[in-house]
């Protein structure tokens, strides 16, 4: 149990509302609870809003944050006392307001949102002290027996500044008991030192790189937003390869020059090796990283450094937005259109939208960068709520690639092959010219489905409504939703037939097999989230490609995000139709964005690039828009269709997901909820219906979809609706405001 923090002053002395209940406070623990609980403050302990405290909760000791006034709904004689205040920087007022806002918007419990801001439990512990040892030059040896090890230690410390014990033992060969004995004798002094910050300050004196006039104008406009202060949201709208990163580095520098903290959100932080190198080139240091691959000790140090303000620049995934910034001055959301910014589990939120809310609460600028902005962002620009700066051309001598469409119904691949004759010819020409190529197929593994040709049996996940994907390189079948794995069998488990199991459709591994057979003399590499995990693996891949140790890259969507390979001049999209079908509201928009980003990998250096789209539907408006390079026309049609049907951004959506281990209980709960569903003008409730993934990770799922006009207060409506129904504890009801996935 931590000791109380020694501070002085009256509790909330400046708040008149606190004069009556000066010894009671409300504390919010990081648990899925609806709100804070009241506690007493023992005599001799002083607290302030935002302090991290230890409290009794039930039979356990829990940690929480002082949230503010006591609610007063429990008689003070029944309140329990806090145990003490933890030695950590108080959570800033704006962070607590942000937790409240996110909770209200997403309809998630306050404590569940707070848990994201308190994600490193041991960061609230005091840092372990660092001890160094130095020679006591005033010591008189007297009767001290100077053994050879002691002499070596004393001689070493006489020549060097205070050293840590590990360094002393390594350099002298002495044991720890030797140092301890010298300290006890007074010959050596032990000094406790403050741990240094794990993050170096960015070098703001590094000269700004050469920017084009267009880039300079955009950078100056963004810097002005920082210099002017106050809230603003600006879309940095630039074609692929236009140098958006170098442009938004300038407002980052401007905010750092003011002594502020900055956070940059990236959709795939673990794969951003080239981005990090560009950052080091610009600022001379590594930023503080925050993503799932960061180890626990580093997460602890980063959390504390953000809280005390010594970590000036954080680069991270969506969860980095919830770190306890002391003085945040700028937020940048790179690739703002990316679906990866939507969190689908736990607290369901979209980091781009929450970033705008955080900037508004903090009265600071936010920059949204993309070559293919989301329709929601474009609608906000058109409505005047967001500003826009544009980059219409690639940086330097690079030009946008040409795009060619191949109709696979006419230019057919060979049987059990996926590369058309035309694409095969272009690949051969590219390799003959000493250039590199990429084949894009957004399917991991060898084949998305395996079936028995004797009885028709299909291999399905036992926990999900999904087929098992064959990973031939591992000899396994795997579910990409829950992670279930099984050894690839030699015979059909249904009929026992051997040699009848057939892969259906291609994955990147199968494409690799075809490429190696077709071009046996080239170097081929597959890049997916299965084998490129974390910044180190990504950096090694980048190095191999730059060193031309790779002629052909075959990969999924992780290759679509920001990679710059100057010698890569040909991109072949093997199945451009993948993702276009289905009833997903955003299927067309998402496919257009992904294919445009993939196409943007070609021709980013001095040599021009070509993009080839293999499709069975060349008349599809997504394919035609990419071929014509007419983003505005595509967006105009898409927005018009959304307006006709009252869909976002011209209307509002929310989803209810009812799930549980027992199907009958889920159906019963969904039926009860449907009986009291709201009705009214400008409102439509669809469902309940089995979700497309009606079984996910062992839980049966039913969905409602609510569509409402823009003026409808969706959260209030859903809250009133659900308050009329009591569901069993075994059934979970999740609310997804502004859903992106309909699975």
């Amino acid at each position: 149990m931590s000791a109380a923090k020694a501070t002085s002053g009256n509790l909330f002395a400046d708040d008149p509302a606190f004069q009556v209940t000066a010894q009671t406070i409300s504390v919010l623990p990081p648990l899925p609870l609806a709100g804070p609980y009241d506690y007493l403050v023992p005599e001799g302990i002083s607290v302030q809003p935002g302090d991290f405290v230890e409290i009794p909760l039930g039979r356990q000791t829990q940690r929480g944050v002082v949230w503010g006034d006591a609610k007063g709904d429990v008689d003070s004689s029944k309140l329990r006392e806090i145990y003490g205040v933890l030695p950590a920087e108080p959570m800033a007022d704006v962070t607590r307001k942000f937790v409240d806002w996110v909770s209200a918007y997403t309809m998630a419990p306050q404590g569940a949102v707070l848990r994201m801001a308190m994600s490193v439990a041991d960061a609230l512990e005091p840092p372990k002290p660092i001890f160094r040892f130095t020679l006591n030059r005033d010591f008189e040896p007297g009767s001290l027996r100077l053994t050879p090890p002691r002499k070596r230690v004393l001689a070493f410390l006489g020549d060097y500044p205070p050293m840590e014990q590990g360094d002393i033992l390594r350099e002298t060969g002495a044991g720890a008991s030797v140092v301890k004995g010298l300290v006890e004798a007074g010959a050596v002094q032990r000094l406790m030192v403050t741990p240094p910050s794990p993050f170096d300050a960015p070098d703001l004196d590094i000269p700004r790189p050469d920017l084009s006039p267009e880039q300079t104008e955009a950078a100056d406009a963004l810097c002005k937003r920082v210099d002017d202060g106050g809230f603003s949201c600006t879309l940095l709208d630039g074609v692929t390869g236009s140098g958006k990163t170098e442009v938004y580095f300038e407002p980052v520098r401007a905010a750092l020059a003011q002594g502020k903290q900055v956070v940059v959100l990236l959709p795939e932080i673990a794969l951003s090796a080239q981005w990090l190198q560009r950052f080091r080139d610009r600022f001379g240091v590594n930023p503080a990283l925050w993503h799932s691959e960061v180890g626990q000790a580093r997460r602890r140090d980063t959390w504390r450094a953000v809280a005390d303000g010594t970590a000036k620049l954080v680069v991270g995934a969506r969860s980095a937005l919830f770190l306890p910034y002391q003085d945040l001055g700028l937020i940048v959301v790179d690739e703002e259109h990316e679906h990866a910014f939507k969190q689908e589990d736990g607290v369901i939120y979209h980091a781009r939208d929450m970033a705008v809310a955080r900037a508004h609460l903090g009265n600071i600028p936010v920059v949204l960068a993309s070559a293919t902005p989301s329709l929601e962002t474009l609608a906000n620009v058109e409505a005047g709520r967001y500003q826009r700066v544009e980059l219409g051309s690639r940086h330097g001598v690079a030009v946008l690639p040409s795009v060619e469409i191949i109709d696979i119904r006419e230019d057919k691949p060979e049987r059990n092959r996926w590369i058309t004759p035309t694409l095969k010819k272009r690949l051969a020409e590219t390799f003959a010219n000493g250039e590199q190529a990429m084949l894009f197929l957004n399917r991991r593994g060898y084949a998305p489905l395996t079936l028995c040709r004797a009885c028709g049996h299909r291999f399905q996940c036992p926990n999900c409504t999904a087929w098992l994907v064959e990973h031939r390189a591992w000899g396994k079948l795997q579910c990409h939703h829950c992670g279930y794995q099984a050894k690839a069998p030699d015979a059909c488990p249904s009929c026992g037939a051997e040699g009848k199991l057939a892969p259906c459709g291609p994955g990147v591994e199968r494409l690799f097999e075809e490429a190696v057979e077709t071009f046996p003399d080239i170097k081929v590499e597959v890049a997916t989230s299965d084998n490129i995990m974390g910044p180190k693996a990504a950096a090694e891949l980048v190095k191999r490609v730059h060193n031309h140790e790779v002629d052909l890259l075959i990969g999924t969507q992780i290759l679509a995000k920001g990679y710059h390979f100057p010698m890569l001049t040909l991109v072949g999209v093997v199945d451009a139709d993948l993702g276009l079908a289905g009833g997903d509201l955003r299927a067309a928009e998402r496919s257009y964005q992904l294919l445009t980003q993939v196409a943007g990998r070609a021709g980013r250096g001095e040599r021009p690039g070509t993009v080839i789209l293999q499709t069975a539907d060349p008349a599809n408006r997504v394919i035609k828009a990419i071929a014509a390079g007419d983003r505005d026309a595509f967006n105009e049609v898409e927005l018009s269709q959304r307006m006709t049907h009252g869909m976002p951004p011209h209307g509002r959506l929310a989803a209810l997901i009812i799930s549980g281990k027992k199907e009958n209980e889920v159906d019963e709960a969904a039926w009860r909820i449907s009986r009291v569903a709201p009705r009214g003008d400008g409102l439509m409730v669809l469902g309940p219906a089995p979700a497309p993934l009606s079984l996910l990770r062992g839980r049966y799922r039913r969905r409602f979809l609510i569509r409402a006009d823009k003026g409808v207060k969706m959260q209030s409506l859903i809250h009133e609706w659900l308050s009329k129904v009591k569901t069993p504890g075994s059934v979970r009801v999740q609310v997804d405001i502004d859903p992106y996935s309909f699975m």
Side-chain angles (χ1 to χ4, degrees), residues 465-484:
T465 311
W467 307 122
L468 293 177
V469 176
E470 180 183 359
H471 286 263
R472 186 162 293 187
W474 306 341
K476 293 181 179 179
L477 301 174
Q478 182 180 13
C479 175
H480 286 169
H481 297 284
C482 71
Y484 171 84

mmCIF file of all heavy atoms in Angstrom, residues 465-484:
data_model
loop_
_atom_site.group_PDB
_atom_site.id
_atom_site.type_symbol
_atom_site.label_atom_id
_atom_site.label_comp_id
_atom_site.label_asym_id
_atom_site.label_seq_id
_atom_site.Cartn_x
_atom_site.Cartn_y
_atom_site.Cartn_z
ATOM 1 N N THR A 465 -18.199 -18.261 -37.568
ATOM 2 C CA THR A 465 -18.828 -18.538 -38.859
ATOM 3 C C THR A 465 -17.855 -18.101 -39.946
ATOM 4 O O THR A 465 -18.034 -17.074 -40.610
ATOM 5 C CB THR A 465 -20.155 -17.770 -38.987
ATOM 6 O OG1 THR A 465 -20.928 -17.975 -37.798
ATOM 7 C CG2 THR A 465 -20.949 -18.245 -40.190
ATOM 8 N N ALA A 466 -16.796 -18.860 -40.106
ATOM 9 C CA ALA A 466 -15.738 -18.488 -41.058
ATOM 10 C C ALA A 466 -15.003 -19.739 -41.505
ATOM 11 O O ALA A 466 -14.863 -20.708 -40.746
ATOM 12 C CB ALA A 466 -14.755 -17.511 -40.409
ATOM 13 N N TRP A 467 -14.540 -19.722 -42.780
ATOM 14 C CA TRP A 467 -13.746 -20.827 -43.281
ATOM 15 C C TRP A 467 -12.330 -20.740 -42.735
ATOM 16 O O TRP A 467 -11.820 -19.654 -42.448
ATOM 17 C CB TRP A 467 -13.698 -20.802 -44.818
ATOM 18 C CG TRP A 467 -15.037 -20.740 -45.486
ATOM 19 C CD1 TRP A 467 -15.479 -19.789 -46.348
ATOM 20 C CD2 TRP A 467 -16.111 -21.672 -45.350
ATOM 21 N NE1 TRP A 467 -16.752 -20.052 -46.755
ATOM 22 C CE2 TRP A 467 -17.176 -21.211 -46.158
ATOM 23 C CE3 TRP A 467 -16.290 -22.846 -44.626
ATOM 24 C CZ2 TRP A 467 -18.385 -21.874 -46.260
ATOM 25 C CZ3 TRP A 467 -17.500 -23.517 -44.727
ATOM 26 C CH2 TRP A 467 -18.526 -23.044 -45.533
ATOM 27 N N LEU A 468 -11.704 -21.892 -42.606
ATOM 28 C CA LEU A 468 -10.302 -21.932 -42.206
ATOM 29 C C LEU A 468 -9.412 -21.665 -43.413
ATOM 30 O O LEU A 468 -9.628 -22.218 -44.491
ATOM 31 C CB LEU A 468 -9.955 -23.291 -41.594
ATOM 32 C CG LEU A 468 -10.634 -23.620 -40.257
ATOM 33 C CD1 LEU A 468 -10.251 -25.030 -39.805
ATOM 34 C CD2 LEU A 468 -10.254 -22.609 -39.188
ATOM 35 N N VAL A 469 -8.433 -20.812 -43.217
ATOM 36 C CA VAL A 469 -7.508 -20.439 -44.288
ATOM 37 C C VAL A 469 -6.298 -21.366 -44.238
ATOM 38 O O VAL A 469 -5.703 -21.564 -43.176
ATOM 39 C CB VAL A 469 -7.059 -18.971 -44.138
ATOM 40 C CG1 VAL A 469 -6.018 -18.613 -45.198
ATOM 41 C CG2 VAL A 469 -8.269 -18.044 -44.229
ATOM 42 N N GLU A 470 -5.939 -21.927 -45.388
ATOM 43 C CA GLU A 470 -4.764 -22.798 -45.434
ATOM 44 C C GLU A 470 -3.495 -21.957 -45.459
ATOM 45 O O GLU A 470 -3.350 -21.033 -46.257
ATOM 46 C CB GLU A 470 -4.787 -23.700 -46.664
ATOM 47 C CG GLU A 470 -3.554 -24.623 -46.732
ATOM 48 C CD GLU A 470 -3.507 -25.478 -47.977
ATOM 49 O OE1 GLU A 470 -4.442 -25.387 -48.805
ATOM 50 O OE2 GLU A 470 -2.526 -26.239 -48.128
ATOM 51 N N HIS A 471 -2.573 -22.285 -44.545
ATOM 52 C CA HIS A 471 -1.220 -21.714 -44.549
ATOM 53 C C HIS A 471 -0.273 -22.884 -44.832
ATOM 54 O O HIS A 471 0.173 -23.574 -43.924
ATOM 55 C CB HIS A 471 -0.895 -21.050 -43.207
ATOM 56 C CG HIS A 471 -1.588 -19.735 -43.003
ATOM 57 N ND1 HIS A 471 -0.984 -18.525 -43.253
ATOM 58 C CD2 HIS A 471 -2.856 -19.451 -42.596
ATOM 59 C CE1 HIS A 471 -1.836 -17.539 -42.999
ATOM 60 N NE2 HIS A 471 -2.972 -18.080 -42.593
ATOM 61 N N ARG A 472 -0.010 -23.107 -46.110
ATOM 62 C CA ARG A 472 0.756 -24.286 -46.504
ATOM 63 C C ARG A 472 2.176 -24.236 -45.978
ATOM 64 O O ARG A 472 2.765 -25.271 -45.653
ATOM 65 C CB ARG A 472 0.742 -24.422 -48.030
ATOM 66 C CG ARG A 472 1.387 -25.699 -48.537
ATOM 67 C CD ARG A 472 0.976 -26.020 -49.961
ATOM 68 N NE ARG A 472 -0.450 -26.364 -50.061
ATOM 69 C CZ ARG A 472 -1.025 -26.815 -51.172
ATOM 70 N NH1 ARG A 472 -0.316 -26.968 -52.280
ATOM 71 N NH2 ARG A 472 -2.319 -27.107 -51.193
ATOM 72 N N ALA A 473 2.736 -23.041 -45.854
ATOM 73 C CA ALA A 473 4.111 -22.925 -45.358
ATOM 74 C C ALA A 473 4.216 -23.431 -43.926
ATOM 75 O O ALA A 473 5.273 -23.898 -43.497
ATOM 76 C CB ALA A 473 4.575 -21.471 -45.445
ATOM 77 N N TRP A 474 3.129 -23.308 -43.157
ATOM 78 C CA TRP A 474 3.130 -23.789 -41.777
ATOM 79 C C TRP A 474 2.536 -25.188 -41.645
ATOM 80 O O TRP A 474 2.636 -25.802 -40.580
ATOM 81 C CB TRP A 474 2.300 -22.862 -40.872
ATOM 82 C CG TRP A 474 2.664 -21.420 -40.908
ATOM 83 C CD1 TRP A 474 3.829 -20.863 -41.349
ATOM 84 C CD2 TRP A 474 1.846 -20.329 -40.493
ATOM 85 N NE1 TRP A 474 3.787 -19.503 -41.230
ATOM 86 C CE2 TRP A 474 2.580 -19.138 -40.709
ATOM 87 C CE3 TRP A 474 0.564 -20.235 -39.958
ATOM 88 C CZ2 TRP A 474 2.075 -17.883 -40.410
ATOM 89 C CZ3 TRP A 474 0.063 -18.989 -39.656
ATOM 90 C CH2 TRP A 474 0.809 -17.821 -39.879
ATOM 91 N N GLY A 475 1.870 -25.670 -42.709
ATOM 92 C CA GLY A 475 1.168 -26.946 -42.621
ATOM 93 C C GLY A 475 -0.049 -26.862 -41.725
ATOM 94 O O GLY A 475 -0.410 -27.832 -41.054
ATOM 95 N N LYS A 476 -0.717 -25.676 -41.706
ATOM 96 C CA LYS A 476 -1.837 -25.470 -40.797
ATOM 97 C C LYS A 476 -3.031 -24.852 -41.515
ATOM 98 O O LYS A 476 -2.897 -24.222 -42.561
ATOM 99 C CB LYS A 476 -1.422 -24.541 -39.640
ATOM 100 C CG LYS A 476 -0.397 -25.132 -38.693
ATOM 101 C CD LYS A 476 -0.073 -24.140 -37.587
ATOM 102 C CE LYS A 476 0.953 -24.730 -36.608
ATOM 103 N NZ LYS A 476 1.287 -23.753 -35.541
ATOM 104 N N LEU A 477 -4.193 -25.047 -40.890
ATOM 105 C CA LEU A 477 -5.401 -24.322 -41.242
ATOM 106 C C LEU A 477 -5.681 -23.354 -40.095
ATOM 107 O O LEU A 477 -5.591 -23.741 -38.918
ATOM 108 C CB LEU A 477 -6.587 -25.274 -41.431
ATOM 109 C CG LEU A 477 -6.435 -26.354 -42.514
ATOM 110 C CD1 LEU A 477 -7.627 -27.300 -42.484
ATOM 111 C CD2 LEU A 477 -6.307 -25.718 -43.893
ATOM 112 N N GLN A 478 -6.029 -22.113 -40.419
ATOM 113 C CA GLN A 478 -6.167 -21.102 -39.369
ATOM 114 C C GLN A 478 -7.392 -20.229 -39.600
ATOM 115 O O GLN A 478 -7.755 -19.916 -40.736
ATOM 116 C CB GLN A 478 -4.924 -20.206 -39.307
ATOM 117 C CG GLN A 478 -4.977 -19.161 -38.201
ATOM 118 C CD GLN A 478 -3.736 -18.295 -38.157
ATOM 119 O OE1 GLN A 478 -2.934 -18.295 -39.078
ATOM 120 N NE2 GLN A 478 -3.575 -17.550 -37.088
ATOM 121 N N CYS A 479 -8.026 -19.832 -38.484
ATOM 122 C CA CYS A 479 -9.098 -18.847 -38.524
ATOM 123 C C CYS A 479 -8.491 -17.473 -38.279
ATOM 124 O O CYS A 479 -7.789 -17.268 -37.276
ATOM 125 C CB CYS A 479 -10.158 -19.143 -37.458
ATOM 126 S SG CYS A 479 -11.442 -17.866 -37.348
ATOM 127 N N HIS A 480 -8.747 -16.537 -39.174
ATOM 128 C CA HIS A 480 -8.177 -15.198 -39.041
ATOM 129 C C HIS A 480 -9.031 -14.287 -38.167
ATOM 130 O O HIS A 480 -8.724 -13.108 -38.027
ATOM 131 C CB HIS A 480 -7.992 -14.575 -40.423
ATOM 132 C CG HIS A 480 -6.849 -15.173 -41.178
ATOM 133 N ND1 HIS A 480 -6.636 -14.934 -42.519
ATOM 134 C CD2 HIS A 480 -5.861 -16.017 -40.795
ATOM 135 C CE1 HIS A 480 -5.560 -15.600 -42.917
ATOM 136 N NE2 HIS A 480 -5.084 -16.270 -41.889
ATOM 137 N N HIS A 481 -10.083 -14.852 -37.550
ATOM 138 C CA HIS A 481 -10.916 -14.058 -36.646
ATOM 139 C C HIS A 481 -10.611 -14.354 -35.186
ATOM 140 O O HIS A 481 -10.526 -13.433 -34.380
ATOM 141 C CB HIS A 481 -12.399 -14.310 -36.933
ATOM 142 C CG HIS A 481 -12.821 -13.891 -38.303
ATOM 143 N ND1 HIS A 481 -13.019 -12.572 -38.647
ATOM 144 C CD2 HIS A 481 -13.065 -14.611 -39.425
ATOM 145 C CE1 HIS A 481 -13.366 -12.496 -39.915
ATOM 146 N NE2 HIS A 481 -13.410 -13.714 -40.419
ATOM 147 N N CYS A 482 -10.454 -15.623 -34.844
ATOM 148 C CA CYS A 482 -10.206 -15.972 -33.440
ATOM 149 C C CYS A 482 -8.834 -16.576 -33.208
ATOM 150 O O CYS A 482 -8.423 -16.758 -32.060
ATOM 151 C CB CYS A 482 -11.276 -16.940 -32.930
ATOM 152 S SG CYS A 482 -11.156 -18.617 -33.609
ATOM 153 N N GLY A 483 -8.103 -16.924 -34.288
ATOM 154 C CA GLY A 483 -6.767 -17.484 -34.147
ATOM 155 C C GLY A 483 -6.720 -18.990 -34.033
ATOM 156 O O GLY A 483 -5.634 -19.572 -33.906
ATOM 157 N N TYR A 484 -7.860 -19.671 -34.076
ATOM 158 C CA TYR A 484 -7.883 -21.138 -34.005
ATOM 159 C C TYR A 484 -7.008 -21.735 -35.100
ATOM 160 O O TYR A 484 -7.016 -21.278 -36.250
ATOM 161 C CB TYR A 484 -9.316 -21.637 -34.152
ATOM 162 C CG TYR A 484 -9.433 -23.142 -34.314
ATOM 163 C CD1 TYR A 484 -9.450 -23.984 -33.209
ATOM 164 C CD2 TYR A 484 -9.512 -23.717 -35.591
ATOM 165 C CE1 TYR A 484 -9.557 -25.367 -33.364
ATOM 166 C CE2 TYR A 484 -9.613 -25.088 -35.746
ATOM 167 C CZ TYR A 484 -9.637 -25.910 -34.634
ATOM 168 O OH TYR A 484 -9.726 -27.274 -34.791
#
